[in-house]
């Protein structure tokens, strides 16, 4: 028979496996009879098992921490319809029933295996995935664990109360520390409420400002052993530098707030459709700003409280034009930036410091390099070389840069963005930033990442998985491998207490930090119902919050395999917005990973509406591709509504849901607030870099700039909500880097002084773009400098961009509130898009029962993406060019005409005409 002590030995794995960031993690040895985790305990008496090896008998063996076994017989049964609906991915597994009354509180604290026998011989053992059982025991009633309102450390009248949900733990102790991180007492034993699985204690030894950790004794499947683990609090509200200790804090106390916090005015909007979203990375905003009042504010929260800096001057220009919302890339506590500035590399640090922090850095062998700063060294390299990227590749793990999609603690501001990251200081500085933006008229959106964590298992920066092992993350239903389709360690928001952690965290940000809305990373990996419940909870403290995110459908949860997803199609009608790839792909092209395929540069056609020529080749496939793109653009301009009726480019009357996009419909939304329109964001190449891949070599610099602005005009003139990537209006480049998440200020630079757009500062990192190097080198040569911009081009682009925002803000016809208004008031006047290639004529009427814009009868927006002036024939004598464009930054658009002959619009121009009431 199989010996269990051999099982324990075989399950030992190295810590290197536990901290691997992007490889599937499987807890099983290939030579061990425990082959999988294909058993799932769903309710107190129901399991499902994917049987292997023609087993005829199965049983549970539960081993407690003292090594005592309990054997539990299983009887095959039929899975109920309710459980099939709740667990669709397990519905084809074989169901078994437990016919014995069990002490489930003890069972869940044990090592639980299913043994499978054939003819009396043990043929397989499987670990049991017991997250559903934990939910069944501790969260299904009306007053149990997921109704607890005060997890974490709370300041109460009787002392500091600590609460932690850890139902699988055998013991939980509280470790208290002073400001010097020295122990304040012996470990304090917490007591468990067996009804909720919550461990708690109240003590007077701790006070506001005390640091703490938890010590937990628990069986961990990652090692197959009972472990004693020390971790921070998943409900932390304050942290020490580098997040090694949680800290007690009362967020309602005055010593955690900047002056004026409680009396600040928060800007409002009448409806979500009024939002104009500006995606901002905190470090990018000010890392190069030489007009900050202190150099120590570069890349920090403090930069947003400046008044005369380059960045804030530009942001206030956008605000004056009508921009109303700043979207901050993740700014909760991150895992990969060292918050101690002495141990993190800054671009302006000396190479002596860099060489001291990074072992075996090639350039450190050059004595001349030692006298330079890192910025000076990188600037000394030829832009066409691969030297800058080589240095950045070697140091990026030690620098002070990351986008922030690496969650550590969900409900504490990130310390590296604070001048002082220790304790309360980061909270005060974060609140100062929010208050400053509010005072300047901006709403503040926060980017959140509840779909994965940076680490799990016994890794140093694992938190959740140390407290309730294999509950907060999602595992393959058969192999038990950790799912990593998001990039990292996928969380399981379908489990009640992970959903609660997300919801409680969101409420804290909304209530205590006055965050006005949330953008969800890979939202489609979360259940739709969880998102709706979370929004309901947040609306109880902030009635006009807005939720939106990435509703992509992929991975182990794709096509509602495990639950109804918070995906594009499923969220239609909820007014939780989803980014639309339809308009994006039709405008800029859908191939972001490489420039080697799908480009027909000599004819001037990319994979999108890239400078459409007057003569397409007589190629039916090419013509069809162009016509489909035009339909997708039009549908994008009406918020991708599924029930919008239009005449497509093939002359057929179709609904939006009948316009194809890949294997699905282009039209999926049911309300304008369902749709986030964009052509550029932090992911993939910037719009400028993407366009250089696709534009004809012989286009002038001015034409390239005009095409950039033409592309940006689509989301700003479309129904739905526009989303704008910071710096796209400044022709921002990352030197072709398609994924700059961890590649420092050198590639991510934004220059709000308008002197450079950061184009061609070196070949992009080989890890991301090596295959593109030949293409980049070729286009830099053949473009002959026509892709290099000067300060006047950047200023021009900024001015025209502001004009577009002013136009959108000038009329509610651009911001219609309902699908019925869009269907009734928006149409397209040109259906034969082959006759006048690259021309879209959009009509916004105000002839409905409700007078939407008292000043205007109608608006006509004409997008001319061709390189020729075009006239759309109609009687336009009652129209005139929009006054913003008549008085605006673009001399070319002022040559547009409206007459009895029609609307005449110059090449590469978006022109807006109005007809007064």
């Amino acid at each position: 028979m199989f010996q269990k002590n051999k099982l324990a030995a075989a399950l030992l794995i190295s810590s290197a496996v536990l901290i691997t960031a992007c490889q599937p993690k499987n807890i099983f040895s290939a030579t061990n009879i425990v082959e999988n985790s294909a058993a799932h305990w769903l309710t107190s008496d129901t399991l499902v098992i994917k049987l292997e090896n023609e087993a005829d008998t199965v049983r549970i063996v539960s081993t407690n921490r003292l090594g005592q076994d309990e054997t539990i017989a299983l009887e095959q049964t039929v899975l109920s319809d309710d459980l099939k609906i709740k667990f669709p991915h397990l519905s084809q597994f074989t169901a078994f029933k437990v016919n014995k009354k069990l002490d489930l509180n003890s069972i869940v604290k044990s090592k639980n295996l299913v043994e499978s026998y054939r003819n009396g011989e043990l043929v397989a053992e499987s670990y049991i995935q017991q997250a559903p059982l934990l939910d069944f025991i501790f969260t299904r009633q009306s007053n149990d664990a997921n109704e607890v309102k005060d997890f974490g450390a709370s300041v109460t009248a009787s002392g500091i109360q600590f609460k932690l949900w850890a139902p699988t733990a055998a013991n939980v102790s509280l470790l208290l520390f002073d400001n010097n991180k020295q122990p304040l007492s012996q470990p304090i034993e917490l007591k468990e409420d067996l009804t909720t699985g919550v461990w708690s204690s109240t003590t007077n030894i701790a006070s506001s400002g005390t640091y703490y950790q938890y010590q937990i004794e628990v069986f961990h499947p990652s090692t197959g052993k009972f472990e004693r683990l020390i971790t921070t609090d998943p409900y932390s509200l304050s942290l020490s530098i580098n997040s090694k200790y949680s800290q007690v804090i009362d967020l309602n106390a005055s010593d955690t707030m900047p002056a004026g916090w409680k009396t600040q005015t928060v800007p409002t909007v009448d409806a979500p459709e009024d939002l104009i979203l500006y995606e901002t990375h905190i470090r990018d905003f000010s890392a190069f700003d030489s007009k900050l009042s202190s150099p120590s504010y570069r890349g920090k929260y403090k930069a947003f409280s400046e008044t005369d800096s380059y960045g804030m001057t530009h942001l206030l220009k956008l605000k004056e034009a009508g921009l109303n919302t700043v979207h901050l890339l993740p700014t909760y506590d991150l895992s990969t930036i060292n918050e101690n500035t002495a141990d993190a590399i800054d671009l302006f640090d000396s190479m002596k410091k860099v060489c001291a922090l990074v072992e075996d850095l090639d350039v450190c062998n050059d004595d001349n390099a030692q006298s330079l700063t890192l910025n000076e060294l990188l600037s000394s390299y030829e832009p066409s070389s691969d030297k800058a990227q080589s240095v950045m590749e070697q140091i990026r793990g030690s620098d002070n840069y990351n986008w922030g999609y690496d969650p550590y603690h969900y409900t504490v501001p990130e310390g590296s963005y604070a001048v002082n990251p220790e304790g309360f200081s980061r909270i005060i500085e974060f609140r100062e930033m929010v208050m400053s933006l509010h005072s300047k008229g901006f709403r503040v959106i926060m980017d959140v990442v509840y779909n994965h964590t940076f680490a799990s298992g016994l890794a140093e920066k694992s938190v959740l998985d140390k407290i309730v092992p294999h509950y907060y993350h999602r595992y393959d239903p058969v192999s038990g491998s950790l799912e990593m389709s998001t990039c990292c360690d996928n969380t399981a928001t379908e489990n009640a207490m992970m959903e609660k952690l997300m919801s409680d965290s969101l409420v804290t940000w909304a209530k205590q930090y006055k965050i006005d809305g949330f953008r969800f990373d890979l939202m489609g990996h979360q259940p739709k119902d969880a998102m709706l419940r979370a929004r309901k909870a947040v609306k109880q403290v902030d009635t006009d919050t807005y939720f939106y995110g990435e509703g992509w459908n992929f991975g182990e949860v794709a096509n509602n395999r495990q639950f109804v997803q918070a995906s594009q199609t499923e969220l239609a009608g909820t007014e939780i917005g989803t980014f639309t790839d339809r308009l994006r792909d039709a405008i800029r092209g859908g191939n972001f990973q490489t420039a080697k395929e799908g480009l027909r540069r000599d004819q001037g056609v990319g994979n999108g509406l890239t400078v459409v020529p007057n003569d397409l080749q007589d190629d039916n496939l090419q013509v069809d591709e162009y016509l489909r793109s035009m339909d997708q653009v039009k549908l994008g301009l009406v918020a991708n509504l599924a029930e919008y009726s239009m005449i497509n480019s093939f002359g057929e009357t179709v609904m939006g849901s009948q316009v194809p996009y890949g294997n699905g419909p282009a039209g999926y939304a049911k309300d304008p607030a369902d749709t986030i329109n964009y052509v550029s964001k932090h992911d993939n190449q910037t719009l400028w870099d993407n366009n250089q891949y696709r534009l004809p070599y012989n286009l002038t610099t001015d034409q390239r700039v005009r095409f950039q602005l033409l592309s940006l005009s689509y989301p700003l003139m479309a129904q739905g909500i526009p989303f704008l990537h910071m710096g796209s209006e400044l022709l921002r480049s990352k030197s072709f880097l398609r994924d700059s998440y961890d590649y420092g200020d050198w590639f991510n630079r934004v220059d709000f002084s308008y002197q450079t757009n950061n184009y061609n500062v070196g070949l992009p990192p080989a890890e991301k773009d090596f295959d593109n190097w030949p293409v980049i080198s070729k286009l830099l040569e053949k473009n002959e400098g026509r892709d290099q911009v000067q300060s006047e081009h950047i200023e021009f682009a900024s001015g025209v961009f502001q004009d577009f925002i002013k136009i959108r803000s000038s009329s509610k016809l651009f911001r219609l509130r309902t699908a019925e208004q869009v269907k009734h008031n928006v149409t397209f006047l040109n259906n034969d898009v082959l006759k006048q290639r690259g021309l879209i004529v959009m009509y916004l009427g105000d002839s409905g029962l409700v007078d939407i814009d008292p000043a205007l009868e109608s608006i006509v927006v004409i997008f001319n993406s061709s390189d020729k002036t075009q006239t759309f024939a109609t009687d336009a004598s009652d129209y005139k060019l929009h006054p913003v464009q008549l008085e605006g930054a673009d001399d070319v658009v002022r040559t547009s005409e409206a007459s009895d002959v029609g609307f005449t619009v110059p090449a590469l121009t978006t022109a807006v005409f109005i007809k007064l009431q």
Side-chain angles (χ1 to χ4, degrees):
M1 293 293 291
F2 188 78
Q3 299 297 313
K4 292 181 176 59
N5 60 343
K6 294 182 180 178
L7 167 64
L11 284 170
L12 291 174
I13 56 176
S14 70
S15 59
V17 174
L18 290 172
I19 62 173
T20 300
C22 294
Q23 296 296 323
K25 303 175 184 177
N26 195 311
I27 65 173
F28 307 114
S29 165
T31 60
N32 200 311
I33 196 168
V34 182
E35 297 173 344
N36 56 46
S37 283
H40 300 255
W41 206 329
L42 306 184
T43 71
S44 58
D45 62 356
T46 306
L47 287 82
V48 292
I49 305 168
K50 187 171 181 60
L51 292 177
E52 303 288 351
N53 302 320
E54 300 179 352
D56 52 39
T57 304
V58 294
R59 68 180 189 178
I60 298 170
V61 176
S62 182
T63 306
N64 67 21
R65 59 198 294 261
L66 300 176
Q68 298 165 332
D69 288 349
E70 179 178 4
T71 301
I72 305 165
L74 296 177
E75 176 186 336
Q76 190 167 336
T77 186
V78 176
L79 192 64
S80 71
D81 290 341
D82 288 345
L83 290 176
K84 287 181 179 179
I85 292 170
K86 187 172 183 179
F87 302 101
H89 62 303
L90 305 176
S91 61
Q92 300 304 310
F93 285 29
T94 304
F96 290 88
K97 184 176 182 180
V98 178
N99 287 321
K100 179 180 179 181
K101 188 172 182 179
L102 302 172
D103 180 357
L104 291 175
N105 288 89
S106 296
I107 291 288
V108 299
K109 298 178 189 300
S110 301
K111 179 174 75 173
N112 298 312
L113 300 174
V114 163
E115 295 183 342
S116 299
Y117 293 84
R118 183 176 67 246
N119 299 325
E121 181 182 351
L122 179 65
V123 292
E125 284 187 322
S126 299
Y127 272 108
I128 299 175
Q129 298 196 40
Q130 61 184 26
L133 178 62
L134 296 178
D135 281 349
F136 181 84
I137 299 170
F138 299 109
T139 72
R140 81 181 191 281
Q141 304 295 337
S142 59
N143 190 27
D144 48 14
N146 56 338
E147 279 77 44
V148 174
K149 299 183 182 300
D150 52 359
F151 281 116
S154 304
V155 179
T156 72
S158 56
I160 308 300
Q161 171 190 275
F162 295 87
K163 282 188 179 180
L164 181 73
W165 188 68
T168 63
N171 287 295
V172 178
S173 300
L174 175 67
L175 311 179
L176 299 176
F177 303 89
D178 63 18
N179 287 340
N180 296 317
K181 314 305 184 297
Q182 296 302 306
L184 281 173
S185 69
Q186 293 296 314
I188 298 171
E189 298 291 329
L190 274 61
K191 293 183 179 180
E192 183 183 14
D193 180 341
L194 295 178
T195 302
T196 62
V198 175
W199 297 75
S200 64
S201 179
T202 299
T203 178
N204 289 310
I205 299 174
S207 60
S208 180
T210 298
Y211 291 97
Y212 69 99
Q213 296 171 327
Y214 290 118
Q215 179 177 280
I216 298 169
E217 295 179 26
V218 66
F219 174 76
H220 208 295
S222 293
T223 62
K225 297 194 303 182
F226 289 88
E227 302 280 359
R228 177 176 290 177
L229 305 171
I230 293 177
T231 183
T232 48
D233 189 344
Y235 272 82
S236 295
L237 296 177
S238 185
L239 294 161
S240 68
I241 188 170
N242 284 328
S243 314
K244 294 185 180 299
Y245 300 86
S246 301
Q247 186 183 38
V248 178
I249 188 173
D250 179 2
L251 291 175
N252 294 308
S254 59
D255 62 348
T256 69
M257 301 175 183
W261 174 255
K262 289 186 177 180
T263 58
Q264 67 178 290
T265 299
V266 179
T268 61
V269 291
D270 293 336
E273 290 83 0
D274 290 336
L275 295 168
I276 302 177
L277 308 170
Y278 190 67
E279 185 191 45
T280 307
H281 183 263
I282 289 173
R283 181 157 190 84
D284 290 352
F285 179 72
S286 58
F288 285 86
D289 202 322
S290 61
K291 289 185 70 177
L292 294 171
S293 58
S294 170
S296 65
Y297 294 171
R298 288 191 302 107
K300 305 293 186 180
Y301 299 130
K302 289 278 191 182
F304 290 88
S305 297
E306 296 286 283
T307 54
D308 299 322
S309 65
Y310 286 120
M312 193 53 67
T313 298
H314 178 75
L315 198 57
L316 290 175
K317 287 180 183 178
L318 298 181
K319 177 64 184 70
E320 185 178 359
L323 184 73
N324 54 27
T325 305
V326 172
H327 162 136
L328 299 172
L329 261 68
T331 181
Y332 49 72
D333 184 48
L334 313 179
S335 295
T336 54
I337 302 177
N338 194 316
E339 295 173 354
N340 185 343
T341 56
D343 296 326
I345 296 171
D346 184 88
L347 190 62
F348 295 97
D349 280 341
S350 71
M351 284 304 299
K352 288 183 179 179
K353 176 182 175 181
V354 174
C355 293
L357 290 176
V358 182
E359 294 183 3
D360 302 323
L361 183 59
D362 298 340
V363 72
C364 294
N365 296 321
D366 182 353
D367 292 338
N368 293 327
Q370 297 283 331
S371 63
L372 303 175
T373 65
L374 175 59
N375 185 56
E376 289 169 341
L377 175 71
L378 298 174
S379 299
S380 71
Y381 294 141
E382 284 293 325
S384 60
S385 79
D386 63 354
K387 292 184 178 180
Q389 67 85 30
S390 178
V391 172
M392 291 305 302
E393 183 65 53
Q394 293 176 75
I395 71 170
R396 65 187 178 99
S398 302
D399 72 1
N400 55 7
Y401 193 93
N402 202 287
W403 279 346
Y405 295 94
D406 54 341
Y408 195 174
H409 297 88
Y410 282 121
T411 320
V412 185
E414 162 61 10
S416 69
Y417 297 142
V419 175
N420 179 5
E422 182 69 37
F424 293 7
S425 295
R426 67 168 80 181
I427 280 91
I428 296 170
E429 291 185 42
F430 183 94
R431 284 173 157 175
E432 283 178 346
M433 173 187 66
V434 174
M435 186 170 68
S436 176
L437 287 168
H438 281 161
S439 71
K440 294 174 173 63
F442 294 104
R443 292 172 66 80
V444 181
I445 296 282
M446 185 172 171
D447 201 326
V448 289
V449 185
Y450 296 106
N451 65 82
H452 67 256
T453 60
F454 175 73
S456 62
L458 305 189
E460 177 190 359
K461 295 184 179 180
S462 170
V463 177
L464 296 172
D465 202 38
K466 290 178 180 175
I467 295 169
V468 191
H470 285 206
Y471 174 83
Y472 286 100
H473 292 87
R474 186 180 300 125
Y475 299 87
D476 183 273
V478 176
S479 71
S481 297
L482 179 62
E483 299 284 12
M484 303 183 70
S485 56
T486 61
C487 77
C488 309
D489 299 3
N490 293 4
T491 55
T493 330
E494 64 271 24
N495 295 340
M497 295 303 286
M498 181 60 213
E499 177 189 330
K500 177 176 173 58
L501 176 62
M502 176 179 75
S503 182
D504 288 350
S505 175
L506 292 167
V507 169
T508 299
W509 288 114
K511 181 179 180 180
Q512 299 290 357
Y513 292 95
K514 301 186 186 299
I515 296 298
D516 304 303
F518 300 91
R519 178 269 193 194
F520 292 81
D521 182 63
L522 298 183
M523 184 170 58
H525 268 55
Q526 299 174 177
K528 173 183 176 180
D529 286 349
M531 290 298 303
L532 293 174
R533 284 189 292 264
R535 183 177 64 175
K536 182 179 179 181
V538 172
K539 282 199 168 187
Q540 291 179 3
V541 299
D542 180 15
T543 56
D544 66 347
T545 191
Y546 180 63
F547 281 21
Y548 61 100
E550 295 179 308
W552 314 133
N553 176 29
F554 71 98
E556 74 279 1
V557 298
N559 303 315
N560 300 329
R561 180 170 178 259
Q562 298 198 29
F563 46 76
V564 177
Q565 301 163 258
S567 60
Q568 288 174 321
T569 54
E570 295 294 348
L571 286 173
T574 65
E575 294 191 86
I576 293 178
T578 56
F579 290 96
T580 169
D581 39 359
R582 279 69 162 161
L583 181 67
R584 176 201 70 189
D585 289 357
I587 298 302
R588 62 174 281 168
N591 179 9
F592 302 138
Q593 305 309 314
T594 177
K596 296 200 293 187
E597 299 174 359
L599 304 184
R600 298 184 293 277
R601 297 172 58 83
D602 293 335
Q603 292 106 328
V605 180
N607 188 11
L609 302 186
T610 307
V611 192
V612 178
N614 289 324
D615 55 330
L616 289 168
Q617 290 182 349
D618 292 330
D619 180 324
N620 290 334
L621 184 61
Q622 183 178 333
V623 171
D624 286 352
E625 177 188 339
Y626 166 68
L627 295 178
R628 283 193 297 271
S629 291
M630 294 297 281
D631 288 343
Q632 290 164 8
V633 172
K634 288 181 178 180
L635 195 57
L637 290 168
V638 292
N640 291 307
L641 293 177
E643 297 180 0
Y644 182 84
S645 178
M646 60 184 286
I647 300 174
N648 69 13
S649 298
F650 301 89
E652 306 159 333
T653 299
V654 296
M655 304 298 286
S657 59
Q658 295 173 302
V659 175
Y661 174 79
N663 295 323
Y668 64 88
K670 295 182 180 178
D671 187 279
D674 295 342
T675 300
I676 306 295
N677 293 307
Y678 75 108
V679 291
S680 180
K681 61 187 181 85
H682 67 273
D683 286 323
N684 306 304
Q685 294 95 348
T686 67
L687 181 62
W688 179 263
D689 292 339
N690 180 78
N691 287 345
Q692 304 323 303
Y693 271 138
R694 300 166 189 279
L695 293 173
Y697 297 121
N698 62 359
L699 280 193
T700 67
T701 306
D702 288 346
Q703 287 176 311
R704 294 169 190 272
V705 172
R706 296 195 69 80
F707 187 75
Q708 174 97 355
L709 293 166
L710 174 68
S711 300
L712 289 169
S713 73
Y714 287 96
L716 282 166
M717 300 300 158
Q719 303 300 321
I721 299 169
F723 180 93
L724 308 162
H725 182 210
M726 183 180 77
S728 57
E729 74 279 18
L730 307 179
L731 314 177
R732 180 181 183 177
S733 170
K734 296 180 183 178
S735 202
F736 293 99
L737 176 53
R738 70 170 178 83
D739 183 12
S740 67
Y741 81 102
D742 191 26
Y743 283 96
D745 296 331
W746 181 256
F747 285 105
N748 285 286
R749 178 176 184 175
V750 183
D751 180 9
F752 289 111
S753 70
Y754 305 161
Q755 299 307 300
T756 176
N757 71 337
N758 209 45
Y759 184 68
N760 193 25
V761 297
L763 289 170
E767 181 178 340
K768 300 294 181 179
D769 285 283
F770 178 78
D771 288 345
N772 291 331
W773 284 5
V775 182
I776 294 168
S777 298
K778 179 180 179 181
L779 67 87
L780 287 171
E781 175 188 353
K782 292 182 72 70
N783 286 337
E784 296 179 342
R786 288 183 286 263
D787 48 1
Q788 309 277 347
V789 300
Q790 304 301 317
S791 177
E792 56 266 28
H793 296 114
I794 299 172
E795 290 191 49
F796 168 75
S798 178
V800 174
F801 181 79
Q802 291 170 53
D803 290 345
F804 289 149
I805 294 176
K806 290 176 184 178
I807 291 170
R808 181 178 183 84
S809 302
S810 69
S811 177
K812 289 185 178 179
L813 288 171
F814 288 109
R815 298 171 276 127
L816 298 173
R817 304 294 197 247
T818 68
E820 288 305 312
Q821 286 183 344
V822 175
K823 288 186 281 187
H824 185 80
N825 292 288
V826 186
T827 190
F828 297 95
L829 304 182
N830 65 321
N831 297 319
D832 188 352
V833 293
L834 279 176
K835 182 178 180 182
Q836 290 183 288
R837 311 236 169 99
L839 198 71
I840 292 178
V841 183
M842 180 174 68
Y843 174 87
L844 309 174
D846 193 13
S847 56
L849 297 175
V850 178
D851 191 1
I852 296 170
D853 187 337
L856 299 180
E857 182 176 316
S858 60
I859 300 172
V860 174
V861 183
I862 300 183
F863 305 89
N864 181 9
S865 63
S866 77
D867 56 359
K868 307 291 183 184
T869 296
Q870 298 203 65
T871 298
F872 177 71
T874 187
D875 184 356
S877 55
D878 291 335
Y879 287 85
K880 62 179 181 180
L881 190 66
H882 199 289
V884 168
Q885 292 188 314
L886 278 173
E887 302 168 6
D890 187 3
D891 292 337
V892 173
V893 77
R894 280 198 285 273
T895 66
S896 303
E897 296 181 354
S899 66
D900 56 0
V901 175
F903 297 102
T904 300
V905 177
L908 300 176
T909 297
T910 298
V912 182
F913 300 89
I914 61 171
K915 181 179 181 181
L916 300 176
Q917 287 270 16

